[in-house]
Every structure is written in structure tokens, then in C-alpha cells.
Amino acid sequence: VQLVESGGGLVQAGGSLRLSCTASGSGFTFADYAVGWFRQAPGKEREGVSAINNYDGRQYYADSVKGRFTMSSDNAKKTMYLQMNSLKPEDTAVYYCAADHPPFTVQPVGVMLAPARYDNWGQGTQVTVSS
């Protein structure tokens, strides 16, 4: 499966952006996978932002984005979204979407937001928040 992100850009603090992640590949549907958004700032490790386990519908968010970011998906369009509101300069990073086979048991948030559990990645889209 190929994943392609879009929607990044430059925004002022307090503003909003919506990122999109579109999948290509026959037979692939987000509804059958665990999917997530991740980000990597310069000089920092890649970190998990949010994830959905579409096996049981549970959603997971990093504490730093709770209440500000929301994941959603449109399976017919093979696209998932990350709505980012009340953006802060510390949200500046390259944002990646990822997908992998879902776990069939409830997982801790730390597991679902761990980049290492995902094998399929997009190329990333830059988000820059100015102060």
C-alpha cells in the first residue's frame, strides 16, 4: 500500500490545518487497519500524535494534542484526515501517516502511538506554526 500525505503548510499560532492521507493499492481500506499520524521535528525522534484501531474503533491521542487534534476517515475515498486546531509553534514538524495490521486486543496508548509498530508510511508533509 502507498500512502500520500497532503495539506501541510504555514499557519499562525492559534490557526487550523487539516492534513489528508490517501491510500492507493487494490483491496486496501483504512477500515481494516490500525492507522495513525506521527510527526518529527528537527533534531527530535518521530513521535505518535494519534491513532485509530479500526478493529475495535478505539482512538488514541498524545497528551500534547488532546482536545486540539481529531482523526477521521472516509473509507470510500481511501482517505484519512487529521484536523488540527489551536496550533502552537511546538506543533511544527513533518507529519506522517502510517498504517499496519490492527491488534485484536486492547492496547495501551503507548503501543498504538509507537512508530515501530507501523510498517507502511507516507513521505510526510511539513507543518510550520509561526508565533
Side-chain angles (χ1 to χ4, degrees), residues 73-90:
S73 64
D74 184 333
N75 292 327
K77 295 182 178 180
K78 292 189 175 182
T79 300
M80 67 176 185
Y81 305 97
L82 183 67
Q83 178 66 44
M84 306 187 296
N85 299 327
S86 302
L87 282 161
K88 305 175 181 180
E90 51 264 43

PDB file of all heavy atoms in Angstrom, residues 73-90:
ATOM      1  N   SER A  73     -11.846   9.478   9.017  1.00  0.00           N
ATOM      2  CA  SER A  73     -11.518   8.821   7.754  1.00  0.00           C
ATOM      3  C   SER A  73     -12.752   8.721   6.876  1.00  0.00           C
ATOM      4  O   SER A  73     -13.891   8.746   7.368  1.00  0.00           O
ATOM      5  CB  SER A  73     -10.916   7.437   7.993  1.00  0.00           C
ATOM      6  OG  SER A  73     -11.865   6.593   8.605  1.00  0.00           O
ATOM      7  N   ASP A  74     -12.519   8.650   5.592  1.00  0.00           N
ATOM      8  CA  ASP A  74     -13.566   8.444   4.595  1.00  0.00           C
ATOM      9  C   ASP A  74     -13.138   7.214   3.809  1.00  0.00           C
ATOM     10  O   ASP A  74     -12.291   7.301   2.913  1.00  0.00           O
ATOM     11  CB  ASP A  74     -13.694   9.673   3.696  1.00  0.00           C
ATOM     12  CG  ASP A  74     -14.822   9.556   2.700  1.00  0.00           C
ATOM     13  OD1 ASP A  74     -15.183   8.412   2.335  1.00  0.00           O
ATOM     14  OD2 ASP A  74     -15.345  10.594   2.268  1.00  0.00           O
ATOM     15  N   ASN A  75     -13.697   6.065   4.177  1.00  0.00           N
ATOM     16  CA  ASN A  75     -13.240   4.824   3.555  1.00  0.00           C
ATOM     17  C   ASN A  75     -13.525   4.785   2.065  1.00  0.00           C
ATOM     18  O   ASN A  75     -12.766   4.186   1.301  1.00  0.00           O
ATOM     19  CB  ASN A  75     -13.858   3.622   4.261  1.00  0.00           C
ATOM     20  CG  ASN A  75     -13.322   3.459   5.670  1.00  0.00           C
ATOM     21  OD1 ASN A  75     -12.167   3.779   5.944  1.00  0.00           O
ATOM     22  ND2 ASN A  75     -14.154   2.985   6.575  1.00  0.00           N
ATOM     23  N   ALA A  76     -14.610   5.398   1.642  1.00  0.00           N
ATOM     24  CA  ALA A  76     -14.945   5.405   0.215  1.00  0.00           C
ATOM     25  C   ALA A  76     -13.868   6.133  -0.592  1.00  0.00           C
ATOM     26  O   ALA A  76     -13.597   5.776  -1.744  1.00  0.00           O
ATOM     27  CB  ALA A  76     -16.305   6.048  -0.004  1.00  0.00           C
ATOM     28  N   LYS A  77     -13.257   7.137   0.009  1.00  0.00           N
ATOM     29  CA  LYS A  77     -12.212   7.894  -0.661  1.00  0.00           C
ATOM     30  C   LYS A  77     -10.819   7.376  -0.321  1.00  0.00           C
ATOM     31  O   LYS A  77      -9.826   7.940  -0.794  1.00  0.00           O
ATOM     32  CB  LYS A  77     -12.301   9.376  -0.276  1.00  0.00           C
ATOM     33  CG  LYS A  77     -13.569  10.067  -0.749  1.00  0.00           C
ATOM     34  CD  LYS A  77     -13.565  11.548  -0.368  1.00  0.00           C
ATOM     35  CE  LYS A  77     -14.808  12.249  -0.878  1.00  0.00           C
ATOM     36  NZ  LYS A  77     -14.821  13.690  -0.505  1.00  0.00           N
ATOM     37  N   LYS A  78     -10.762   6.339   0.517  1.00  0.00           N
ATOM     38  CA  LYS A  78      -9.468   5.810   0.971  1.00  0.00           C
ATOM     39  C   LYS A  78      -8.597   6.932   1.520  1.00  0.00           C
ATOM     40  O   LYS A  78      -7.392   7.001   1.263  1.00  0.00           O
ATOM     41  CB  LYS A  78      -8.735   5.072  -0.150  1.00  0.00           C
ATOM     42  CG  LYS A  78      -9.393   3.777  -0.572  1.00  0.00           C
ATOM     43  CD  LYS A  78      -8.489   3.006  -1.526  1.00  0.00           C
ATOM     44  CE  LYS A  78      -9.070   1.662  -1.874  1.00  0.00           C
ATOM     45  NZ  LYS A  78      -8.193   0.859  -2.755  1.00  0.00           N
ATOM     46  N   THR A  79      -9.210   7.796   2.283  1.00  0.00           N
ATOM     47  CA  THR A  79      -8.514   8.959   2.815  1.00  0.00           C
ATOM     48  C   THR A  79      -8.803   9.099   4.296  1.00  0.00           C
ATOM     49  O   THR A  79      -9.936   8.904   4.728  1.00  0.00           O
ATOM     50  CB  THR A  79      -8.952  10.247   2.082  1.00  0.00           C
ATOM     51  OG1 THR A  79      -8.654  10.107   0.695  1.00  0.00           O
ATOM     52  CG2 THR A  79      -8.215  11.464   2.630  1.00  0.00           C
ATOM     53  N   MET A  80      -7.766   9.412   5.054  1.00  0.00           N
ATOM     54  CA  MET A  80      -7.980   9.755   6.439  1.00  0.00           C
ATOM     55  C   MET A  80      -7.448  11.164   6.675  1.00  0.00           C
ATOM     56  O   MET A  80      -6.644  11.671   5.890  1.00  0.00           O
ATOM     57  CB  MET A  80      -7.338   8.751   7.390  1.00  0.00           C
ATOM     58  CG  MET A  80      -5.836   8.706   7.393  1.00  0.00           C
ATOM     59  SD  MET A  80      -5.307   7.523   8.672  1.00  0.00           S
ATOM     60  CE  MET A  80      -3.540   7.751   8.604  1.00  0.00           C
ATOM     61  N   TYR A  81      -7.932  11.764   7.741  1.00  0.00           N
ATOM     62  CA  TYR A  81      -7.666  13.171   7.982  1.00  0.00           C
ATOM     63  C   TYR A  81      -7.158  13.384   9.401  1.00  0.00           C
ATOM     64  O   TYR A  81      -7.434  12.605  10.311  1.00  0.00           O
ATOM     65  CB  TYR A  81      -8.957  13.977   7.795  1.00  0.00           C
ATOM     66  CG  TYR A  81      -9.616  13.772   6.454  1.00  0.00           C
ATOM     67  CD1 TYR A  81     -10.669  12.866   6.310  1.00  0.00           C
ATOM     68  CD2 TYR A  81      -9.186  14.479   5.330  1.00  0.00           C
ATOM     69  CE1 TYR A  81     -11.276  12.673   5.082  1.00  0.00           C
ATOM     70  CE2 TYR A  81      -9.789  14.294   4.101  1.00  0.00           C
ATOM     71  CZ  TYR A  81     -10.830  13.393   3.978  1.00  0.00           C
ATOM     72  OH  TYR A  81     -11.434  13.191   2.763  1.00  0.00           O
ATOM     73  N   LEU A  82      -6.431  14.475   9.559  1.00  0.00           N
ATOM     74  CA  LEU A  82      -6.066  14.948  10.883  1.00  0.00           C
ATOM     75  C   LEU A  82      -6.426  16.427  10.941  1.00  0.00           C
ATOM     76  O   LEU A  82      -5.774  17.252  10.296  1.00  0.00           O
ATOM     77  CB  LEU A  82      -4.579  14.749  11.169  1.00  0.00           C
ATOM     78  CG  LEU A  82      -4.134  15.168  12.563  1.00  0.00           C
ATOM     79  CD1 LEU A  82      -4.750  14.260  13.629  1.00  0.00           C
ATOM     80  CD2 LEU A  82      -2.608  15.164  12.691  1.00  0.00           C
ATOM     81  N   GLN A  83      -7.489  16.731  11.655  1.00  0.00           N
ATOM     82  CA  GLN A  83      -7.891  18.116  11.855  1.00  0.00           C
ATOM     83  C   GLN A  83      -7.110  18.671  13.036  1.00  0.00           C
ATOM     84  O   GLN A  83      -7.203  18.137  14.144  1.00  0.00           O
ATOM     85  CB  GLN A  83      -9.397  18.212  12.115  1.00  0.00           C
ATOM     86  CG  GLN A  83      -9.892  19.621  12.369  1.00  0.00           C
ATOM     87  CD  GLN A  83      -9.777  20.522  11.162  1.00  0.00           C
ATOM     88  OE1 GLN A  83     -10.107  20.120  10.040  1.00  0.00           O
ATOM     89  NE2 GLN A  83      -9.307  21.749  11.351  1.00  0.00           N
ATOM     90  N   MET A  84      -6.363  19.725  12.788  1.00  0.00           N
ATOM     91  CA  MET A  84      -5.512  20.315  13.825  1.00  0.00           C
ATOM     92  C   MET A  84      -5.984  21.734  14.104  1.00  0.00           C
ATOM     93  O   MET A  84      -5.938  22.596  13.219  1.00  0.00           O
ATOM     94  CB  MET A  84      -4.052  20.322  13.363  1.00  0.00           C
ATOM     95  CG  MET A  84      -3.541  18.939  12.938  1.00  0.00           C
ATOM     96  SD  MET A  84      -1.768  18.926  12.579  1.00  0.00           S
ATOM     97  CE  MET A  84      -1.708  20.027  11.169  1.00  0.00           C
ATOM     98  N   ASN A  85      -6.449  21.964  15.305  1.00  0.00           N
ATOM     99  CA  ASN A  85      -6.927  23.274  15.729  1.00  0.00           C
ATOM    100  C   ASN A  85      -6.028  23.826  16.833  1.00  0.00           C
ATOM    101  O   ASN A  85      -5.259  23.085  17.453  1.00  0.00           O
ATOM    102  CB  ASN A  85      -8.368  23.179  16.230  1.00  0.00           C
ATOM    103  CG  ASN A  85      -9.330  22.704  15.167  1.00  0.00           C
ATOM    104  OD1 ASN A  85      -9.158  22.986  13.980  1.00  0.00           O
ATOM    105  ND2 ASN A  85     -10.354  21.972  15.591  1.00  0.00           N
ATOM    106  N   SER A  86      -6.151  25.119  17.066  1.00  0.00           N
ATOM    107  CA  SER A  86      -5.378  25.789  18.126  1.00  0.00           C
ATOM    108  C   SER A  86      -3.896  25.420  18.033  1.00  0.00           C
ATOM    109  O   SER A  86      -3.265  25.055  19.030  1.00  0.00           O
ATOM    110  CB  SER A  86      -5.931  25.404  19.504  1.00  0.00           C
ATOM    111  OG  SER A  86      -7.295  25.736  19.608  1.00  0.00           O
ATOM    112  N   LEU A  87      -3.359  25.531  16.853  1.00  0.00           N
ATOM    113  CA  LEU A  87      -1.980  25.118  16.630  1.00  0.00           C
ATOM    114  C   LEU A  87      -1.005  25.990  17.404  1.00  0.00           C
ATOM    115  O   LEU A  87      -1.230  27.192  17.598  1.00  0.00           O
ATOM    116  CB  LEU A  87      -1.658  25.144  15.137  1.00  0.00           C
ATOM    117  CG  LEU A  87      -2.214  23.943  14.366  1.00  0.00           C
ATOM    118  CD1 LEU A  87      -2.273  24.234  12.876  1.00  0.00           C
ATOM    119  CD2 LEU A  87      -1.381  22.708  14.631  1.00  0.00           C
ATOM    120  N   LYS A  88       0.078  25.351  17.829  1.00  0.00           N
ATOM    121  CA  LYS A  88       1.125  26.013  18.596  1.00  0.00           C
ATOM    122  C   LYS A  88       2.448  25.886  17.853  1.00  0.00           C
ATOM    123  O   LYS A  88       2.634  24.950  17.068  1.00  0.00           O
ATOM    124  CB  LYS A  88       1.253  25.350  19.966  1.00  0.00           C
ATOM    125  CG  LYS A  88      -0.030  25.281  20.762  1.00  0.00           C
ATOM    126  CD  LYS A  88       0.175  24.490  22.045  1.00  0.00           C
ATOM    127  CE  LYS A  88      -1.106  24.374  22.848  1.00  0.00           C
ATOM    128  NZ  LYS A  88      -0.906  23.596  24.105  1.00  0.00           N
ATOM    129  N   PRO A  89       3.382  26.788  18.117  1.00  0.00           N
ATOM    130  CA  PRO A  89       4.699  26.667  17.459  1.00  0.00           C
ATOM    131  C   PRO A  89       5.360  25.306  17.693  1.00  0.00           C
ATOM    132  O   PRO A  89       6.049  24.797  16.802  1.00  0.00           O
ATOM    133  CB  PRO A  89       5.505  27.811  18.095  1.00  0.00           C
ATOM    134  CG  PRO A  89       4.472  28.840  18.434  1.00  0.00           C
ATOM    135  CD  PRO A  89       3.266  28.050  18.869  1.00  0.00           C
ATOM    136  N   GLU A  90       5.120  24.713  18.844  1.00  0.00           N
ATOM    137  CA  GLU A  90       5.721  23.407  19.129  1.00  0.00           C
ATOM    138  C   GLU A  90       5.092  22.271  18.330  1.00  0.00           C
ATOM    139  O   GLU A  90       5.565  21.134  18.377  1.00  0.00           O
ATOM    140  CB  GLU A  90       5.665  23.081  20.622  1.00  0.00           C
ATOM    141  CG  GLU A  90       4.301  23.237  21.249  1.00  0.00           C
ATOM    142  CD  GLU A  90       4.119  24.581  21.929  1.00  0.00           C
ATOM    143  OE1 GLU A  90       4.527  25.622  21.352  1.00  0.00           O
ATOM    144  OE2 GLU A  90       3.558  24.601  23.054  1.00  0.00           O
TER     145      GLU A  90
END
